[in-house]
C-alpha cells in the first residue's frame, strides 16, 4: 500500500473501507485485487441508487426493449420488492409520477 508523505512524516494510506471483502473476493475468485475493487465499486454504486433513480433507469431500459408501461410497471413492482433493501410498494401511478414527473 502506498504511504503518502505529509511534510517530513510518512502517513500510512487509509485502507479501503471494505478491505476484508476485497481480500475475500480476490481469494475466492479469479479476480485480481484491482479488478475485485472495480467490481465492488460497481455493486456498491448499483445498490446506492435511490428508488427514483432505479425506477427511471429501469423504465428507460425496459421501454427501449419495447415493453409497454403496463408491463414495465408490473415488472418494476416485482423488481423493487426483490432489491436487497426493499423499497416501499409503489402504485403504478407513483411509478408513472417518478418517470414522468
Amino acid at each position: 500500500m502506498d504511504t503518502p508523505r505529509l511534510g517530513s512524516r510518512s502517513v500510512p494510506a487509509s485502507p479501503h473501507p471494505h478491505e476484508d471483502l476485497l481480500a475475500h473476493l480476490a481469494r475466492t475468485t479469479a479476480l485480481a485485487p484491482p479488478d475485485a475493487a472495480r467490481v465492488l465499486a460497481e455493486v456498491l454504486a448499483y445498490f446506492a441508487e435511490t428508488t427514483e433513480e432505479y425506477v427511471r433507469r429501469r423504465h428507460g431500459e425496459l421501454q427501449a426493449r419495447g415493453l409497454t408501461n403496463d408491463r414495465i410497471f408490473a415488472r418494476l413492482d416485482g423488481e423493487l420488492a426483490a432489491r436487497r433493501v426493499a423499497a416501499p410498494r409503489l402504485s403504478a401511478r407513483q411509478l408513472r409520477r417518478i418517470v414522468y414527473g
Side-chain angles (χ1 to χ4, degrees):
M1 201 175 297
D2 294 335
T3 304
R5 298 198 50 86
L6 181 62
S8 60
R9 305 182 325 196
S10 291
V11 178
S14 59
H16 190 281
H18 301 290
E19 193 68 38
D20 58 332
L21 179 55
L22 289 174
H24 175 77
L25 287 172
R27 193 173 51 251
T28 60
T29 68
L31 295 173
D35 295 328
R38 183 185 52 76
V39 168
L40 179 57
E42 289 292 327
V43 169
L44 292 174
Y46 176 84
F47 284 112
E49 276 185 313
T50 67
T51 299
E52 290 80 6
E53 290 167 335
Y54 179 82
V55 166
R56 286 186 191 105
R57 178 178 60 77
R58 286 296 289 151
H59 180 272
E61 291 170 357
L62 296 171
Q63 192 174 49
R65 291 186 195 168
L67 275 69
T68 63
N69 276 346
D70 288 341
R71 290 185 63 196
I72 292 171
F73 296 147
R75 186 161 173 178
L76 284 173
D77 182 53
E79 289 181 4
L80 288 171
R83 293 209 20 114
R84 182 72 177 116
V85 178
R89 298 282 313 243
L90 299 173
S91 68
R93 180 175 185 225
Q94 289 171 309
L95 292 168
R96 189 173 283 109
R97 289 189 70 182
I98 289 171
V99 173
Y100 297 111

